[in-house]
Amino acid sequence: MVTAGMWVLEIADYVMGGALDDYGIRPHDVSDLTDVFTAPFMHGGFGHLIGNTVPFVILGFLAAVRGIAKFLVASLIIIVVGGLGVWFLSSANTLGSSILIFGFFGYLLGRGLFERRLLDLAIAAGVVLLYGTMIFGVLPSDPSISWQGHLFGLIGGVLGSWVLRRGPDRRAVEA
């Protein structure tokens, strides 16, 4: 449903001549801080959206396997950490679901690491096999790609997996 919403937004943006691109993150502009919450759902054209759709759907689905409530909280952490990282360190208007994609990647890896459940470990291993090379996207290489969004989305995902990890088993007998 979110993916369909991103497509509707990009169609509207196309019809409006790119007017929705203003809802990207403009760094260092305090009046623009609220766009931290809109930027991950906007894209800089259909090519950008097409490139993000499949990994967003796959990694988002896998991130939601443990429950929608954890998924929503993790997504919020990713959006805030990723968006603020862009706001502080970028020099250009930034938009796109890459913040969430890298965040879901980090969340899934962190969940495998912190939860240590067989399913979470298997998902983390599968994600590394399918998308492991995307880790290089956190390095500055192409000035038209926000490495800051990638890096801080990834950090937000790992942070989200740590915050949402299971607590100690409370049923254990205390000595």
Side-chain angles (χ1 to χ4, degrees), residues 99-117:
I99 289 172
L100 283 165
I101 292 167
F102 276 79
F104 295 154
F105 180 80
Y107 177 73
L108 293 165
L109 295 181
R111 202 168 67 187
L113 177 68
F114 300 128
E115 296 286 343
R116 298 185 188 213
R117 293 181 182 173

Side-chain angles (χ1 to χ4, degrees), residues 27-28 84-91 147-148 151-152:
H28 316 292
L84 289 176
V86 167
W87 190 84
F88 278 110
L89 294 179
S90 184
S91 60
W147 63 269
Q148 299 94 337
L151 175 62
F152 286 96

Side-chain angles (χ1 to χ4, degrees), residues 12 19 21 54 57 65 73 87-89 95 101 109 117 124 134 172:
D21 291 349
V54 172
V57 169
V65 164
V73 172
W87 190 84
F88 278 110
L89 294 179
L95 41 81
I101 292 167
L109 295 181
R117 293 181 182 173
M134 72 184 266

Side-chain angles (χ1 to χ4, degrees), residues 132-143:
T133 58
M134 72 184 266
I135 196 71
F136 296 112
V138 303
L139 302 172
S141 60
D142 183 339

Side-chain angles (χ1 to χ4, degrees), residues 64-78:
V65 164
R66 285 279 179 223
I68 196 69
K70 279 189 173 189
F71 172 73
L72 292 173
V73 172
S75 296
L76 182 60
I77 292 169
I78 292 164

Side-chain angles (χ1 to χ4, degrees), residues 34-103:
T34 55
D35 289 346
V36 161
F37 298 100
T38 57
F41 306 102
M42 306 294 172
H43 289 83
F46 287 106
H48 186 204
L49 178 57
I50 290 167
N52 281 343
T53 296
V54 172
F56 180 82
V57 169
I58 291 171
L59 295 172
F61 172 78
L62 292 171
V65 164
R66 285 279 179 223
I68 196 69
K70 279 189 173 189
F71 172 73
L72 292 173
V73 172
S75 296
L76 182 60
I77 292 169
I78 292 164
I79 288 169
V80 169
V81 172
L84 289 176
V86 167
W87 190 84
F88 278 110
L89 294 179
S90 184
S91 60
N93 186 38
T94 300
L95 41 81
S97 58
S98 295
I99 289 172
L100 283 165
I101 292 167
F102 276 79

